[in-house]
Amino acid sequence: MKKQVPIGEPKTEMSFLDHLEELRWHLIRSTIAVVVIGIAAFIAKGFIFDGIIFWPKDANFPTYRFLCSSAQLIGLDSFCFSEMPFSIQSRTMAGQFSAHIWTSITAGVIVAFPYIIYEFWKFVSPGMHNNERNTSKGFIFAASFLFFTGVLFGYFIVTPLSINFLGNYQVSETVLNEFDLDSYISTIRASVLASGVIFELPIIIYFLTKIGLVTPAFMRKYRKFALVIVLILSAVITPPDIASQVIVAVPVLILYEVSIFISRAVIRNQEKAAKKAAKKTAKS
C-alpha cells in the first residue's frame, strides 16, 4: 500500500508501523461514528424498543397481516391471531439497562455501516492500481445496499417467522412461554445481523475473485455443496420448519448465482487488462 502524497512529490512506501497507525485512526473514526449513533439510539428509547424491537410481537406486524391474508386465500388460518401467546420479562437487576445499552450499540453498528465501509475503503484503496480503483467506485454503495437489504429481510421475514414459531411452540400446556428480555432481543439481533452479513456474499466473492481464491468454474462445480451450506445456514437462523428454511434459502441461492456472474465479470476484466499489458510490452 502506498501513502497518498501531493502531486509532484515523490511517493514513499509506508512502513508496517505506518500501516498500523493509519488503521488505528480508521478504527477510531469508525468507533466514534458507532458511539454517536448509539447515543442517539439510547436517547430514542421509545422508538427503538416500542417501534422496532417489540413490533414483531404485535399481531398487526405487516408480515403477519400479509401471511394471514395469503393463508386465507387457500382456506387456512395460519398466522392469523390477535395476540402472541407469550410474555417478555427481565429477570435480573441490570437486565433492562444492559439490553438498552447493547441494543443502542447494535443500532449504531447497523446505521453507521456505510461509514464503516467508507473508512475501510479509504484504508485499502491507496494500495490499488488506478484501473482497480475506478472499477470499484461503487463498492461503498453496493456493500451498503446489500447489507441494508439483508437487514430488512432479516427483520421482516426471518424475525417474524422465528418469533411466531418459537412463541407458539409448547411441549405441554402446563409450560408457559415467558421469555427473558435478553433472549428475545438476541433472537432479533441474530436474525438481522446474520441476514445482513449473508447478503454481502456478492461483495465477498468479488474480492475473493480479485485475489484469485475463487473462480466462476469453481463456484459452478461446487454449486451442489453450496446448496447444502445454504440450507444449513437457513436452518440455523430460522425456525426448524421447511417453509421458513425455503423462504430464507431462495434469496441466498439467487445471491449465489449473482456472485457467479460477478466472478465471471472480474475474471473477464482481468483477462482484458492482461492482454492490454501484453500488447504494450510487445510494442515497447
Side-chain angles (χ1 to χ4, degrees):
M1 185 180 292
K2 294 181 179 180
K3 190 174 182 178
Q4 291 179 327
V5 296
I7 297 175
E9 295 185 15
K11 293 182 178 180
T12 58
E13 293 290 335
M14 294 178 65
S15 68
F16 178 71
L17 292 179
D18 290 333
H19 281 299
L20 287 181
E21 179 66 14
E22 187 74 14
L23 177 61
R24 185 173 75 91
W25 281 107
H26 287 298
L27 292 175
I28 289 174
R29 287 192 289 268
S30 298
T31 302
I32 291 173
V34 172
V35 170
V36 170
I37 296 174
I39 291 173
F42 187 87
I43 295 172
K45 178 177 65 176
F47 172 74
I48 294 296
F49 282 90
D50 295 329
I52 297 178
I53 299 298
F54 296 130
W55 194 19
K57 185 180 179 296
D58 190 344
N60 291 318
F61 192 70
T63 305
Y64 299 138
R65 293 206 306 267
F66 172 78
L67 292 175
C68 177
S69 300
S70 301
Q72 287 176 338
L73 291 176
I74 56 176
L76 301 176
D77 59 353
S78 301
F79 297 98
C80 298
F81 53 88
S82 58
E83 186 179 359
M84 281 286 185
F86 66 85
S87 61
I88 300 174
Q89 302 183 40
S90 179
R91 301 175 186 273
T92 59
M93 286 291 291
Q96 295 197 55
F97 181 73
S98 178
H100 193 184
I101 291 290
W102 284 107
T103 300
S104 299
I105 293 174
T106 302
V109 172
I110 292 174
V111 176
F113 183 81
Y115 183 76
I116 296 172
I117 289 295
Y118 170 72
E119 288 294 338
F120 169 77
W121 179 249
K122 284 180 64 179
F123 177 70
V124 301
S125 60
M128 294 183 172
H129 298 293
N130 289 332
N131 60 329
E132 292 177 330
R133 197 179 295 115
N134 292 332
T135 56
S136 305
K137 283 182 177 179
F139 165 71
I140 297 173
F141 172 80
S144 300
F145 175 78
L146 289 171
F147 178 76
F148 286 129
T149 301
V151 166
L152 292 175
F153 179 82
Y155 182 72
F156 284 101
I157 303 298
V158 180
T159 294
L161 290 175
S162 300
I163 290 177
N164 182 72
F165 177 85
L166 298 174
N168 284 280
Y169 188 82
Q170 284 183 295
V171 294
S172 171
E173 292 184 358
T174 61
V175 182
L176 300 178
N177 282 331
E178 297 177 345
F179 302 133
D180 188 72
L181 175 63
D182 181 65
S183 175
Y184 174 83
I185 294 177
S186 295
T187 300
I188 298 177
R189 181 170 58 239
S191 301
V192 168
L193 293 181
S195 298
V197 173
I198 290 173
F199 271 60
E200 291 293 310
L201 179 62
I203 300 296
I204 296 171
I205 294 300
Y206 173 84
F207 281 103
L208 291 179
T209 304
K210 291 285 287 186
I211 61 179
L213 293 179
V214 170
T215 63
F218 174 85
M219 296 185 68
R220 285 193 293 267
K221 180 180 178 180
Y222 293 99
R223 183 185 276 116
K224 293 180 180 179
F225 296 97
L227 173 60
V228 174
I229 294 173
V230 167
L231 291 175
I232 293 174
L233 289 174
S234 301
V236 169
I237 66 175
T238 60
D241 66 274
I242 299 300
S244 300
Q245 293 176 19
V246 170
I247 289 173
V248 173
V250 168
V252 178
L253 290 175
I254 293 174
L255 287 172
Y256 186 84
E257 295 300 324
V258 172
S259 298
I260 295 178
F261 174 79
I262 291 174
S263 181
R264 186 166 60 244
V266 171
I267 295 295
R268 190 183 302 118
N269 290 335
Q270 289 178 338
E271 291 174 348
K272 289 181 180 179
K275 289 180 181 178
K276 288 182 179 179
K279 288 181 180 179
K280 289 182 180 180
T281 303
K283 288 181 181 180
S284 60

